[in-house]
Amino acid sequence: MAKGTQSQFSAAELFVRKPVQANPGLGERVVSLFDRLATWNERRRQRRALEALPDHLLSDIGISRADADHEAEKPFWRG
């Protein structure tokens, strides 16, 4: 479309194509919040799963049974 020409779309069509945001960047902040929550949940799942690993696997990754139990029992991961 050339500069200076009128749009061929009505206001309703423009709203459907690109809704007006009350606060620019709000969508990015919401996505970031959910990403952080997903990351925290994954870390929590991994830390709590340490309890279920057998001792020989814990020693392979360099963690003692006491360390695994201590890490999984932290109130931060218990939620």
Side-chain angles (χ1 to χ4, degrees):
M1 187 181 324
K3 285 186 176 181
T5 61
Q6 292 234 340
S7 173
Q8 57 186 346
F9 302 111
S10 70
E13 288 173 324
L14 290 175
F15 181 76
V16 170
R17 288 173 178 239
K18 185 178 180 185
V20 177
Q21 292 183 353
N23 188 358
L26 180 62
E28 291 89 13
R29 285 186 278 180
V30 170
V31 168
S32 175
L33 177 65
F34 280 109
D35 284 345
R36 280 187 267 160
L37 182 61
T39 301
W40 182 84
N41 277 332
E42 179 60 21
R43 287 181 63 204
R44 178 177 182 260
R45 185 196 64 76
Q46 290 173 358
R47 297 291 164 84
R48 298 211 44 212
L50 288 174
E51 291 177 309
L53 289 177
D55 290 338
H56 71 280
L57 290 179
L58 289 174
S59 66
D60 286 349
I61 60 174
I63 298 175
S64 69
R65 169 60 55 196
D67 290 339
D69 290 341
H70 176 71
E71 190 65 33
E73 290 297 323
K74 288 182 179 177
F76 182 75
W77 300 121
R78 285 285 172 199

